[in-house]
Amino acid sequence: MASEGLARALAAVLGGQGLPVHSCDSEPAEEPPAPVRLRKNVCYVVLAVFLNEQDEVLLIQEAKKECHGSWYLPAGRMEPGETIVEALQREVKEEAGLHCEPLTLLSVEERGPSWIRFVFLARATGGILKTPKEADAESLQAGWYPRTSLPTPLRAQDILHLVELAAQHRQQARHPLILPQELPCSLVCQRLIATFTSVQTVWVLVGTVGMPHLPITACGFTPMEQRGGIKMAILRLLQECLTLHHLVVETKGLLGLQHLGKDHADGICLNVLVTVAFRNPGMQREPPKVRGENYFWWKVMEEDLQRQLLQRLRESSVVPINR
């Protein structure tokens, strides 16, 4: 029965869906996590990449004093009470004058758990492009520019990579369409799909406290966890049950994203695909031994799930997490 529940949970996560977050399996010992609050201890930023049929990119001209007159992609900070999609649509309307809908998450960028940016590929659904006559504190104007000939000066060069990522996705998508799932969470946390593979067999790490489940690790806000980024929370959980010095741990990327933003639920849960492998594989065909009773390796027997997991791992079919 436990395997059936795990199979349903894994299928939901692989399908980009969310799962409720009831508790965390790992928390920073020196700092029990407190509920996160936008504009207080976390900052989330949304950014949209638009590409039209002429291979042009939508850019806005900045009105802020520190970058006045420079060009950038529509972007801005989320406000309390917003969903991620609502924040994206508000920023695009304020800065570019357009209504839009997100097509997929393209990238997640982080500077530790307290600053996370969500990058989307989006399309315009209406509105009127902002002209210099409508200049205000949000932006001076907006315009479409050839992808290979963007206006200067740019506010920052970081958008060049994002524009190319969007173009690559349109040409050949590396991952399925992924959009935020509206589920409440009080913390910044990560649900791990931690895998070990051998030949055509795959195991997934499972937490045992309560019902068997995909384990969740809470991100801490100590200086060390801020410097190390959100991967620190992954390593902390794995260190609690595995001997890591003879293992290689790699965060592949996101399978999904959960956030609500209503009723003071400002937290997020990132569903993260992780690989665990031996540094010197040799004849090792079984996953590394688990210490304690709080975790075990679950051998995925359902053929379709096994095929999906192996394919996603082989093709790195995930949303990248960049630092």
Side-chain angles (χ1 to χ4, degrees):
M1 195 66 179
S3 291
E4 291 179 10
L6 288 169
R8 285 195 297 270
L10 182 57
V13 172
L14 286 172
Q17 302 169 39
L19 296 170
V21 176
H22 298 299
S23 61
C24 292
D25 297 271
S26 176
E27 298 178 349
E30 67 280 8
E31 181 192 78
V36 298
R37 291 285 182 267
L38 272 172
R39 298 298 178 103
K40 292 185 179 178
N41 56 358
V42 293
C43 174
Y44 304 146
V45 176
V46 290
L47 181 148
V49 186
F50 292 81
L51 290 171
N52 64 18
E53 294 304 314
Q54 291 73 46
D55 200 30
E56 294 173 325
V57 182
L58 178 67
L59 295 179
I60 61 99
Q61 192 173 32
E62 296 282 8
K64 302 182 190 72
K65 184 178 179 180
E66 62 271 19
C67 53
H68 191 273
S70 61
W71 295 86
Y72 207 65
L73 294 168
R77 295 184 179 189
M78 286 177 56
E79 300 285 353
E82 290 182 315
T83 67
I84 296 175
V85 170
E86 287 171 348
L88 184 79
Q89 291 171 329
R90 174 184 55 77
E91 287 291 346
V92 171
K93 183 66 172 66
E94 290 174 353
E95 295 192 344
L98 300 180
H99 303 292
C100 76
E101 67 173 4
L103 299 176
T104 186
L105 192 63
L106 275 181
S107 172
V108 170
E109 302 170 331
E110 54 101 359
R111 299 175 190 163
S114 63
W115 190 96
I116 300 175
R117 183 164 77 170
F118 307 105
V119 178
F120 289 88
L121 177 65
R123 73 177 186 95
T125 58
I128 300 174
L129 199 65
K130 193 172 192 176
T131 69
K133 290 183 179 179
E134 287 87 52
D136 56 20
E138 299 296 336
S139 68
L140 301 179
Q141 62 177 314
W144 293 94
Y145 294 91
R147 179 167 61 88
T148 56
S149 181
L150 301 181
T152 56
L154 295 177
R155 186 181 115 191
Q157 298 291 310
D158 62 338
I159 65 171
L160 297 176
H161 164 70
L162 301 178
V163 169
E164 290 310 305
L165 191 63
Q168 291 167 15
H169 187 89
R170 282 215 319 182
Q171 185 175 5
Q172 184 175 6
R174 285 185 60 184
H175 58 77
L177 301 181
I178 294 175
L179 290 173
Q181 301 297 299
E182 294 183 9
L183 286 169
C185 185
S186 62
L187 306 172
V188 176
C189 61
Q190 298 171 84
R191 176 180 286 109
L192 301 194
I193 300 82
T195 63
F196 176 87
T197 59
S198 175
V199 194
Q200 290 298 303
T201 306
V202 58
W203 288 262
V204 171
L205 190 68
V206 169
T208 62
V209 177
M211 292 290 289
H213 59 278
L214 299 171
I216 295 177
T217 181
C219 293
F221 290 81
T222 63
M224 184 178 75
E225 296 222 4
Q226 286 294 114
R227 287 194 303 271
I230 62 175
K231 70 177 182 182
M232 295 293 290
I234 296 173
L235 293 174
R236 181 188 349 103
L237 183 145
L238 294 177
Q239 282 172 340
E240 292 168 2
C241 61
L242 303 173
T243 303
L244 293 188
H245 71 268
H246 65 298
L247 300 175
V248 176
V249 176
E250 182 182 357
T251 300
K252 304 296 284 188
L254 288 190
L255 294 167
L257 165 65
Q258 303 174 201
H259 171 268
L260 183 62
K262 310 294 183 185
D263 303 319
H264 304 293
D266 289 338
I268 58 171
C269 180
L270 306 171
N271 296 325
V272 182
L273 183 61
V274 174
T275 59
V276 177
F278 289 102
R279 289 187 186 277
N280 302 300
M283 298 298 291
Q284 300 282 0
R285 294 291 180 264
E286 299 286 323
K289 186 177 180 180
V290 174
R291 298 195 309 269
E293 300 178 352
N294 291 343
Y295 302 91
F296 71 92
W297 287 105
W298 168 55
K299 189 175 183 179
V300 180
M301 302 297 290
E302 210 278 331
E303 288 186 7
D304 185 56
L305 282 180
Q306 187 182 86
R307 178 190 57 77
Q308 285 188 62
L309 255 181
L310 290 171
Q311 181 179 2
R312 301 291 289 270
L313 288 166
R314 184 172 59 251
E315 299 175 0
S316 292
S317 178
V318 288
V319 172
I321 302 173
N322 297 312
R323 186 163 169 71

